[in-house]
Amino acid sequence: MQTSYRTVGVAGAGAMGRGIAQIAAQAGSIVRLYDTQPEALARARDDLFAQWDRLLEKGRMDAAAVQACKSRLLLAENLHELADCDLVVEAIVERLDVKRSLFAELERVVRPDAVLATNTSSLSVTAIAAGMQRPQRFGGYHFFNPVPLMKVVEVIAGLKTDPAVCAGLSAFAREMGHTPVLAQDTPGFIVNHAGRGYGTEALRIVGEGIADFATIDRILKDQVGFKLGPFELMDLTALDVSHPVMESIYHQYYEEPRYRPSVITAQRLAGGLVGRKAGEGFYRYVDGKAQVEPEPAAPQLAELPPVWVSPRAARRAELYQLLKDLGAKIETGQSPSPNALALVAPLGFDVTTVAVVERLDPARTVGIDMLIDDAATRRRVIATNPATREDMRDAAHALLSRDGKPVSVIRDSGGFVTQRVVAAIVNIAADICQQRICSPRDLETAVTLGLGYPLGPLAMGDRWGPTNVLEVLFNMQTVYGDPRYRPSPWLRRRGAIGLSLLHEEA
Ligand code: NAI
């Protein structure tokens, strides 16, 4: 088997270096694994041999392939043993000074035509290359943990990187069974940048007292199809990893308000509630299992009031059909009768504002999130305003859970949970396209493979309606008066014609 790079050096035998060594050896390259700590090297070899033995047991590799991989893995106790490498990938400690001095030494050791790459996740590729004699042969090669399972790698061009180096790294990624995506050297590259919308907006919602962690997790999993809720995800990643990433991207973008971190995670990190590995994060863990309070049961009511639907409701026809299917007594007058429940379905606006603008009795007004087609969700979400009467809230809750679909009740805000989080994700993705950090197609690939979202952010925008997402953002900007909800010009221009249509555009 001939790979683009016959001999590959990997500097740093930690979690990432091991993973990179594993897939490079499996692709057929000779791997020279280097670490300053001899114990780390020995552990890495034992760990990799055990991995390959497991793959053999599971029948994923045959005995000859396992033997070949083991023989291709060579341990290097000093840097000079990397002299014959065609490519060296660095995965050492995340410090600019240490990385720079490693590459300065490496340049003295390897051939002039050898390619050098860094697996940094938060430093600038250009900054690492600044002291190099041949920065053109150097690029970013950002893998995700665990490397063999996370099948995407960001190939990052620094300001001086030769495009041929990126092409070579991309070809080699494919040989290792990974999908390369090309990114400009910008803070967070693609995946860590695109990931800002999810947790950051969810934290704002908690910070505003709209809903608790568990409710937000349930809503985003059941309505949008995320595998993990944002708080489950932060517990898994652990706040000692994710909070510094949030801070770093925010500061690197000169305090761009969209990326502003949350005092909630700062405080929980300070208190040691970092997540699953500490036994407690947003959830408490017993035997590795999150302890989640059961959801309150839907109220059982003998009789329900008639329902009147605002003529301005989003997806009004679908909402009518839903209410009909649930057996509601639907009113068709111009305004609700004195006992009716008034249902509104705003996009981006809060229920209170809608009640005032539409001259409805706020005590009988409840909002429902209709951004996503009801048939496509496994949960409904309703919001009260501060004046909503309990009997009206309970009537809406009881009616909307008649068919057994769970209903979450949240407090009023500009934009429901799903609207806010989806709009934040789509808007940040649009801004990544606006900045030409990557192509729209690579953005979608990076996010689905790197973050595991059910859809790429542009496809998500198209699925739930680009104009709906724009409406959410425009109205939230009005409610909050905050530039963080300002729609990206890219989204504004393409809102009317669809986002994924433009995948072809570089
Ligand atoms: P780690 O702490 O598990 O391993 C780092 C290894 O590098 C250690 O074995 C250490 O002895 C060795 N090392 C330190 N200085 C060295 C030097 N000057 N020369 C040779 N070896 C040296 O770290 P991990 O998690 O593997 O991360 C490594 C790099 O990968 C960092 O730059 C990190 O930002 C990046 N990264 C990490 C991800 C993760 O999820 N852990 C994801 C993507 C990138």
Side-chain angles (χ1 to χ4, degrees):
M1 213 176 344
Q2 180 68 48
T3 54
S4 304
Y5 305 107
R6 217 177 92 75
T7 306
V8 175
V10 177
M16 297 305 289
R18 283 173 210 189
I20 298 165
Q22 181 183 337
I23 59 170
Q26 284 170 201
S29 296
I30 293 163
V31 176
R32 297 193 183 279
L33 183 59
Y34 165 73
D35 200 290
T36 40
Q37 307 294 323
E39 322 81 68
L41 270 185
R43 265 201 315 272
R45 189 203 36 222
D46 293 349
D47 181 69
L48 284 169
F49 277 28
Q51 286 282 354
W52 282 318
D53 289 338
R54 267 199 297 278
L55 290 172
L56 176 64
E57 274 166 35
K58 288 187 190 160
R60 304 249 179 90
M61 281 173 90
D62 63 34
V66 165
Q67 197 43 48
C69 283
K70 287 181 177 174
S71 67
R72 281 196 289 267
L73 179 73
L74 307 173
L75 303 186
E77 286 188 0
N78 70 66
L79 217 50
H80 292 277
E81 294 177 44
L82 269 49
D84 68 342
C85 287
D86 305 299
L87 163 70
V88 179
V89 184
E90 165 276 314
I92 66 167
V93 57
E94 187 76 339
R95 273 184 43 193
L96 182 60
D97 56 339
V98 184
K99 288 194 196 278
R100 274 184 174 162
S101 79
L102 175 81
F103 283 111
E105 253 190 279
L106 266 172
E107 279 203 302
R108 288 194 286 271
V109 168
V110 296
R111 286 193 318 272
D113 65 339
V115 170
L116 302 177
T118 174
N119 181 44
T120 185
S121 53
S122 65
L123 300 172
S124 153
V125 170
T126 305
I128 297 173
M132 288 177 66
Q133 283 171 358
R134 289 191 170 79
Q136 64 275 10
R137 57 137 136 203
F138 175 75
Y141 214 20
H142 182 215
F143 289 89
F144 297 83
N145 192 16
V147 179
L149 300 181
M150 299 293 289
K151 301 273 186 196
V152 64
V153 54
E154 295 175 328
V155 176
I156 301 129
L159 287 182
K160 295 207 168 160
T161 308
D162 181 345
V165 165
C166 291
L169 291 173
S170 298
F172 186 50
R174 287 195 195 91
E175 288 160 16
M176 294 188 291
H178 274 47
T179 303
V181 288
L182 277 179
Q184 296 298 326
D185 184 19
T186 48
F189 311 128
I190 309 172
V191 171
N192 283 339
H193 185 170
R196 287 315 91 219
Y198 196 43
T200 314
E201 194 60 26
L203 282 161
R204 281 190 196 121
I205 297 170
V206 169
E208 290 169 23
I210 306 305
D212 60 23
F213 313 127
T215 303
I216 294 173
D217 278 350
R218 283 190 197 106
I219 291 173
L220 289 166
K221 285 190 292 182
D222 290 352
Q223 285 209 315
V224 193
F226 289 103
K227 282 187 216 114
L228 291 176
F231 299 100
E232 292 171 326
L233 182 64
M234 281 186 266
D235 270 3
L236 188 67
T237 315
L239 289 183
D240 53 342
V241 175
S242 54
H243 184 76
V245 172
M246 294 187 221
E247 288 195 329
S248 155
I249 292 183
Y250 176 61
H251 293 308
Q252 287 188 73
Y253 272 110
Y254 295 110
E255 285 73 45
E256 161 62 46
R258 275 193 200 123
Y259 313 133
R260 191 185 307 141
S262 165
V263 293
I264 296 173
T265 46
Q267 194 207 36
R268 298 178 85 87
L269 172 58
L273 283 77
V274 299
R276 188 186 287 253
K277 71 181 180 189
E280 186 165 8
F282 292 102
Y283 297 93
R284 259 186 348 98
Y285 293 84
V286 176
D287 298 328
K289 248 187 95 54
Q291 306 299 297
V292 191
E293 295 273 314
E295 278 191 81
Q300 299 291 326
L301 302 178
E303 211 174 320
L304 292 176
V307 186
W308 176 91
V309 177
S310 161
R312 298 192 205 172
R315 295 189 195 275
R316 189 157 174 265
E318 286 165 32
L319 183 53
Y320 260 117
Q321 189 58 47
L322 169 65
L323 294 170
K324 234 193 211 162
D325 294 346
L326 293 170
K329 285 170 271 173
I330 303 173
E331 290 194 350
T332 51
Q334 282 210 319
S335 53
S337 69
N339 295 321
L341 164 72
L343 257 192
V344 297
L347 292 172
F349 273 129
D350 53 304
V351 178
T352 313
T353 302
V354 173
V356 171
V357 170
E358 298 192 18
R359 296 174 197 282
L360 301 169
D361 173 7
R364 293 184 286 127
T365 305
V366 171
I368 178 166
D369 189 353
M370 292 298 290
L371 174 69
I372 296 182
D373 177 2
D374 183 71
T377 69
R378 287 179 282 123
R379 176 175 296 273
R380 300 185 183 114
V381 178
I382 57 176
T384 54
N385 71 71
T388 305
R389 277 195 339 239
E390 279 179 22
D391 61 323
M392 286 294 158
R393 177 199 63 201
D394 288 351
H397 191 169
L399 170 65
L400 289 160
S401 40
R402 262 188 182 166
D403 58 355
K405 203 181 252 199
V407 173
S408 295
V409 184
I410 63 170
R411 295 193 191 89
D412 199 9
S413 80
F416 288 79
V417 173
T418 293
Q419 292 181 11
R420 291 179 65 158
V421 172
V422 166
I425 290 171
V426 174
N427 200 29
I428 287 174
D431 214 45
I432 289 175
C433 297
Q434 175 76 46
Q435 292 181 47
R436 311 271 151 181
I437 290 172
C438 61
S439 69
R441 187 188 296 278
D442 276 359
L443 170 77
E444 298 289 84
T445 305
V447 170
T448 41
L449 294 178
L451 296 172
Y453 288 2
L455 289 172
L458 304 178
M460 208 181 270
D462 276 346
R463 177 101 172 255
W464 314 129
T467 48
N468 287 342
V469 173
L470 266 175
E471 194 174 333
V472 169
L473 288 167
F474 278 129
N475 292 342
M476 282 180 59
Q477 209 186 342
T478 308
V479 172
Y480 288 91
D482 190 322
R484 68 194 185 203
Y485 298 117
R486 189 178 50 225
S488 158
W490 198 93
L491 180 61
R492 289 174 68 150
R493 286 199 309 274
R494 284 153 179 84
I497 51 179
L499 309 178
S500 348
L501 259 184
L502 293 129
H503 276 178
E504 301 314 319
E505 186 191 357

